[in-house]
Amino acid sequence: MTSSRLIGRTAELAELEAALADAASGRPSLAFLAGESGVGKSRLLSELERRATERGARVLSGDCVELGEGELPYAPIVAALRRLARDDDPALGGLPPATRAELAGLLPELGPGRAAVEDERTGPAQARVFEALLTLLHHLGRDAPLLLAIEDLHWADTSTRACLVFLARSLSHERVLVVATYRADELHRRHPLRPLLAELERAPAARRIELPRLSRDELREQLQDILGAPPDAALLERLWARSEGNPLFAEELLAAGLDGRGELPPTLRDALMLRVERLPEPAQELLRLLAAGRRLDHELLADASGLDPATLRAALREAVAGHVLVADREGRYAFRHALLREVVHDDLLPGEHAELHLALAAALERRADRDGDRAGAHITAGIAHHYSAAGDQRAALAAAVRAAHAADRVHAYGEAGALLERALELWNRVPAAEELAGADRVELLMRAAHARQMHGQSDRAADLLRAALSEVDATARPHRTAAVLERMSRAQWGLGRGAQSQASLASALALLPAGDRSAERASLLAWQAKLSMLQSRFAEAIAVARESLEDVRATGDASALSRMLNALGVSLAASGDPEGGAAALQEALKAARRSDHVSDLESAYTNLSELLHMRGHTRDALALARQGRAELSGLGRVCEWLDLLIAEELFAVGEWEAAEAACPSSDDAYVGTTRVYHDLVRAEMALARGDEGPVAALVDDALGIDSATAEPQLSGIIHVLRAELARRAGDLDAARAAIDTALDAIRRTGDQDPMRLASVGSAGVTVEADAAERARDLGEADAEAAALERAGSLLGHVRRGVALMGPLARVEPAHLATAEAEAVRAAGRSHPAAWARAVAAWEAVERPYPAAMARWREAEALVATGDRGAAARAAGA
């Protein structure tokens, strides 16, 4: 009752084939195939897979599983990759060890995975999984283009949705086409796929193909193919009126024996049930089990059904022959169409529903016990789902905790958080919940908060931590309370709630005596030093670090020690002791290598490279940053901040094309402070090139992120960019306001922050020089005097910054030389020698762009003195 060929999808198939041809030539893309239930999405995708295979492409496919939001992580990805693991595909053998270790978390068949000792300090661990998948896709597409097919995206889990976002932003030259189908009629207003599709379908590399119903002529063609002869007019009209062009409904109406003279079922679901009810009872019983389990292999069917081998085989044969079930390439059975499964599942009696789900949970538990560590997140998630669906709250709680742990191991934090919150909901309904969970309620709340924060849901993490605080006795358990408060402080800082973050930290420290040498206090002190450093309160950070460094060493906590030394090193350098700062950062780097948190290593490399760069040793800084990136990549780390730092440093030394290539182009791939930094690097590049259009949008985006205003190191740069953009547009009042805002941010810290004083003050003198020139042109003596007064005050800030940095400073004196030359311009005098000094200062630290700007001003000053030959030489230089 199915047509032997694809009917009426010529245009859609041609578009998909064109996308596959693009992928073969190195232009990857994502295609979203949308349509109502039964309209033929799977049929079209199957035809594309067949043609792709015939043309030498590699095809992988997987489907999303309807188990409920936040349960089965990476379901279609794992299904697609399992065939590679089963066949021991050579592409897997050629992967780097770190990539293979990350993928082993999803496919235990690949061998031992990476240890999953993670907390908020470790950074985007899920991104490592995504990077590993991207590397695998690249390897798979080297010899032949790759078609990755994902069905039923409307049931996609959180991690799969996040992975698609990553692929949309990260695919660049891989020979890959990703095609995902979804039911448009399933997307209610609050469906989690709706905002994702709205975002992805606008991406340049994405396309949406809407599959309409068949036309009357196409339905006639479908019926002719099925019946072997043209349908009579009455049959065509009846089927057209009833199916309205839905090809699956038309097929099922024929399968029900309707020749146009009998009574038609009122709905497609009724038509589907007619096919099911024709089967013998053992086959129907097996269909009910499959409706609960959705896709099961023969072994699991035998275990859960309890049928003897002969009866099981006969029942499967009947269901397959009746075109109700199909077997996939992995030997698993599933319904021919998802609607068939739904109508059988909806027809289950309450007792049947619970009994079937319990049988499946028990069978999966037996398999998990047999497989041990190889069971993976999917089996544990399935156990949790079936116990929950059966209403066995005691077993559901224990299974949810186990499944959350398995999801956490593969960095599926969205699913882990949802599973832990399900366990917490069941907590008060289940006797001996703590024994079942293997942890108390506070521990589960902290783990759930960690998962939510790692998934980017800091608000929800803060709510869970508040609940944990309400349940822990600070008097009886001060260390436990302090640990919760530290997590709370970090979450609040991530939300931009600086005052609350400081208060939580103070409360945590007050719980533990000064002589306490616990790991909790060491971690708190490291966070206190870092928090002060991030706010540019360098004196506070130095005092905390020096007072408590030995206590932290005594705990043996290498991670806390590395973080403490990192905060100390940055603060010393920013306070005028760059040599002391470099020594502390070198020690932080050594401690980080002993730490089990790879983020400590990235932080140490980043800050040490940045210190070298700010001291004017940018070539050395670049070499160190690249060394760090190579070391971290070998550990599977996605080095977002180091990549941006490398781009910034390349740009500073004049290698602009290399900087553009090194800097990721998609700002949407980043969040929080990393996104601010990305915006600023891109804005500085655009501004230097004279491409001022995107600068305002980038600066506004950065200002809209909480951490931008919480951290003066970022806000100073943002407002200098705003000032320069306004100055070029001739809006000097706006430029002045931006400089004042930047200076206020520095003053609020209570510390001098000499490096930023020098850069902000120098930018401010440039604004005042423009203002003074304009006032003279207009004959406004008062405005000129005001500009000169402000220029003098700002020049004082620059001189103070240089003095605070001391004799080892190299970049700050270049800012001072520029500011002094601008002050001369503000006074209306032409002084080529002042600009020549600025040129020499910038060239000494290999900063060709500000050196070129100073040369331009030098040439201008030489023209004003009448020395046009020297001016031509300066302009040529």
Side-chain angles (χ1 to χ4, degrees):
M1 291 300 171
T2 299
S3 58
S4 61
R5 58 192 178 88
L6 192 65
I7 305 293
R9 304 302 185 202
T10 305
E12 294 85 358
L13 183 59
E15 185 171 358
L16 289 170
E17 288 186 293
L20 186 59
D22 285 346
S25 62
R27 296 192 300 276
S29 62
L30 282 78
F32 296 94
L33 189 55
E36 68 180 12
S37 305
V39 81
K41 302 180 295 298
S42 296
R43 183 68 188 274
L44 175 57
L45 187 55
S46 295
E47 180 65 17
L48 176 67
E49 291 176 0
R50 184 185 68 78
R51 295 190 181 196
T53 301
E54 287 178 352
R55 293 170 189 175
R58 184 194 290 263
V59 176
L60 296 177
S61 61
D63 50 358
C64 303
V65 180
E66 187 194 15
L67 288 186
E69 177 68 16
E71 289 196 64
L72 195 57
Y74 308 108
I77 307 296
V78 171
L81 299 185
R82 185 175 285 120
R83 182 181 174 195
L84 296 175
R86 185 198 63 192
D87 297 342
D88 197 21
D89 194 286
L92 294 174
L95 292 173
T99 300
R100 191 178 176 95
E102 288 294 347
L103 293 174
L106 304 181
L107 291 173
E109 301 96 315
L110 295 181
R114 180 180 303 283
V117 181
E118 302 276 352
D119 67 16
E120 291 89 342
R121 299 187 292 266
T122 62
Q126 191 177 59
R128 298 203 303 269
V129 177
F130 295 165
E131 287 283 357
L133 287 168
L134 185 62
T135 301
L136 175 61
L137 295 180
H138 172 70
H139 277 254
L140 291 173
R142 285 191 302 191
D143 297 328
L146 170 66
L147 170 62
L148 175 59
I150 297 176
E151 292 219 56
D152 298 326
L153 196 60
H154 48 280
W155 289 327
D157 55 274
T158 305
S159 295
T160 295
R161 293 197 298 267
C163 187
L164 280 177
V165 172
F166 174 84
L167 291 177
R169 294 166 178 164
S170 303
L171 286 170
S172 55
H173 304 295
E174 295 80 7
R175 301 173 70 203
V176 176
L177 170 64
V178 180
V179 181
T181 69
Y182 67 90
R183 295 187 197 170
D185 51 336
E186 290 278 348
L187 302 190
H188 54 77
R189 188 168 60 88
R190 295 179 180 271
H191 197 288
L193 190 61
R194 187 179 287 276
L196 177 75
L197 289 170
E199 176 185 354
L200 290 184
E201 290 176 350
R202 290 196 302 269
R207 67 189 75 200
R208 182 176 188 270
I209 300 172
E210 183 78 39
L211 211 56
R213 296 175 179 179
L214 298 180
S215 67
R216 190 189 305 264
D217 288 341
E218 289 165 344
L219 177 63
R220 178 188 294 109
E221 193 176 349
Q222 178 195 18
L223 295 176
Q224 180 174 340
D225 189 273
I226 294 172
L227 298 171
D232 62 62
L235 176 62
L236 175 63
E237 286 307 310
R238 287 189 177 95
L239 290 181
W240 170 251
R242 192 71 192 104
S243 72
E244 297 181 330
N246 184 297
L248 176 66
F249 200 179
E251 290 175 1
E252 291 304 321
L253 291 170
L254 284 176
L258 304 173
D259 58 4
R261 290 185 292 273
E263 182 181 355
L264 296 173
T267 68
L268 173 56
R269 290 176 178 267
D270 291 340
L272 293 169
M273 276 305 292
L274 285 175
R275 177 174 291 215
V276 171
E277 289 167 354
R278 287 179 173 180
L279 296 173
E281 182 54 35
Q284 291 192 42
E285 185 62 29
L286 204 60
L287 293 182
R288 295 183 190 107
L289 184 64
L290 266 164
R294 197 179 187 278
R295 187 180 292 274
L296 305 174
D297 58 37
H298 192 96
E299 180 187 356
L300 200 58
L301 276 171
D303 189 0
S305 69
L307 294 174
D308 64 82
T311 305
L312 176 62
R313 285 195 302 272
L316 285 170
R317 284 186 181 279
E318 290 281 358
V320 170
H323 300 288
V324 177
L325 294 185
V326 292
D328 65 15
R329 288 175 293 191
E330 307 300 320
R332 295 171 301 169
Y333 292 94
F335 283 85
R336 184 174 70 88
H337 193 280
L339 278 177
L340 273 165
R341 189 201 70 82
E342 289 174 31
V343 297
V344 175
H345 193 267
D346 291 347
D347 196 52
L348 293 175
L349 298 172
E352 284 181 311
H353 182 273
E355 182 182 333
L356 291 168
H357 281 287
L358 280 175
L360 286 165
L364 285 170
E365 279 198 319
R366 287 189 286 272
R367 175 171 289 186
D369 290 341
R370 185 195 68 197
D371 292 349
D373 291 339
R374 295 171 63 86
H378 292 75
I379 289 181
T380 55
I383 295 167
H385 165 74
H386 290 301
Y387 275 129
S388 179
D392 187 337
Q393 295 182 344
R394 179 180 173 83
L397 187 150
V401 174
R402 289 197 304 274
H405 181 64
D408 197 58
R409 284 204 307 270
V410 295
H411 316 307
Y413 298 114
E415 289 81 359
L419 286 159
L420 287 167
E421 290 199 44
R422 178 191 298 172
L424 288 164
E425 289 172 6
L426 295 171
W427 193 270
N428 293 327
R429 306 178 208 165
V430 175
E434 185 172 331
E435 180 182 343
L436 286 170
D440 63 16
R441 184 175 168 83
V442 172
E443 175 64 25
L444 282 198
L445 284 163
M446 290 179 69
R447 285 177 56 189
H450 155 68
R452 292 303 189 187
Q453 189 156 9
M454 294 295 286
H455 192 56
Q457 298 172 302
S458 292
D459 267 323
R460 183 58 184 158
D463 291 341
L464 291 162
L465 289 167
R466 273 191 290 273
L469 281 174
S470 70
E471 298 197 15
V472 65
D473 185 339
T475 303
R477 304 288 299 277
H479 289 83
R480 186 74 174 287
T481 308
V484 178
L485 282 166
E486 185 194 350
R487 296 279 186 94
M488 176 67 83
S489 176
R490 290 175 182 277
Q492 289 164 334
W493 182 258
L495 291 166
R497 300 169 187 168
Q500 293 179 17
S501 176
Q502 294 269 37
S504 296
L505 175 60
S507 298
L509 287 168
L511 289 171
L512 305 180
D516 184 275
R517 294 198 170 187
S518 63
E520 289 84 358
R521 181 169 171 80
S523 187
L524 277 169
L525 291 170
W527 172 236
Q528 183 185 24
K530 182 175 181 179
L531 196 56
S532 298
M533 179 268 286
L534 289 173
Q535 295 176 301
S536 296
R537 300 183 184 277
F538 302 121
E540 287 181 17
I542 292 168
V544 170
R546 284 179 169 162
E547 180 181 345
S548 53
L549 196 54
E550 292 311 312
D551 287 346
V552 174
R553 287 188 203 278
T555 66
D557 186 338
S559 177
L561 178 61
S562 179
R563 288 180 282 122
M564 176 74 81
L565 288 165
N566 214 309
L568 175 62
V570 172
S571 301
L572 285 171
S575 301
D577 183 8
E579 286 192 333
L585 286 168
Q586 289 282 7
E587 191 180 351
L589 191 59
K590 292 176 184 176
R593 290 198 175 98
R594 303 193 304 271
S595 164
D596 57 0
H597 300 297
V598 69
S599 60
D600 296 335
L601 192 59
E602 182 179 13
S603 184
Y605 266 120
T606 298
N607 286 334
L608 187 53
S609 175
E610 191 167 19
L611 172 58
L612 289 170
H613 171 52
M614 296 183 78
R615 290 182 63 189
H617 303 292
T618 302
R619 292 291 178 183
D620 293 337
L622 262 171
L624 183 71
R626 285 168 166 159
Q627 174 189 327
R629 196 190 189 289
E631 183 175 344
L632 288 156
S633 295
L635 296 171
R637 177 73 169 180
V638 180
C639 307
E640 297 170 329
W641 198 278
L642 266 178
D643 284 342
L644 291 166
L645 181 60
I646 288 169
E648 180 186 11
E649 291 170 351
L650 284 167
F651 189 77
V653 297
E655 297 184 19
W656 286 10
E657 288 77 13
E660 290 280 0
C663 185
S665 60
S666 175
D667 57 331
D668 290 334
Y670 303 112
V671 295
T673 307
T674 308
R675 180 161 174 171
V676 177
Y677 186 27
H678 177 275
D679 286 344
L680 298 185
V681 171
R682 300 299 306 185
E684 285 188 300
M685 289 180 177
L687 200 59
R689 287 188 181 277
D691 183 14
E692 293 158 15
V695 176
L698 287 164
V699 170
D700 287 345
D701 184 66
L703 278 172
I705 298 169
D706 292 328
S707 52
T709 52
E711 299 185 24
Q713 59 171 329
L714 298 173
S715 59
I717 302 171
I718 291 172
H719 294 300
V720 166
L721 287 168
R722 288 180 61 218
E724 176 62 12
L725 194 62
R727 187 188 72 81
R728 292 189 189 186
D731 190 349
L732 298 182
D733 288 338
R736 279 175 166 166
I739 293 295
D740 288 343
T741 303
L743 289 171
D744 286 344
I746 294 172
R747 292 189 192 103
R748 278 198 304 272
T749 67
D751 291 357
Q752 293 294 338
D753 199 350
M755 292 182 283
R756 286 169 190 89
L757 269 177
S759 62
V760 173
S762 180
V765 178
T766 301
V767 172
E768 297 310 323
D770 280 14
E773 283 189 335
R774 174 182 290 180
R776 277 193 297 277
D777 290 344
L778 297 174
E780 297 174 350
D782 289 347
E784 181 185 2
L788 287 171
E789 183 180 353
R790 282 179 57 90
S793 174
L794 289 161
L795 183 58
H797 286 310
V798 184
R799 286 175 172 151
R800 189 158 52 255
V802 173
L804 287 167
M805 285 304 294
L808 295 175
R810 298 183 75 222
V811 175
E812 289 74 20
H815 281 298
L816 177 57
T818 300
E820 288 175 337
E822 290 285 13
V824 173
R825 181 168 72 93
R829 302 195 305 274
S830 297
H831 198 328
W835 286 110
R837 285 194 293 272
V839 170
W842 287 117
E843 287 182 342
V845 291
E846 198 180 352
R847 302 290 171 86
Y849 177 59
M853 296 294 285
R855 284 282 188 201
W856 166 51
R857 289 294 191 193
E858 181 189 8
E860 187 179 53
L862 286 163
V863 168
T865 64
D867 193 345
R868 303 182 71 81
R873 288 191 294 275

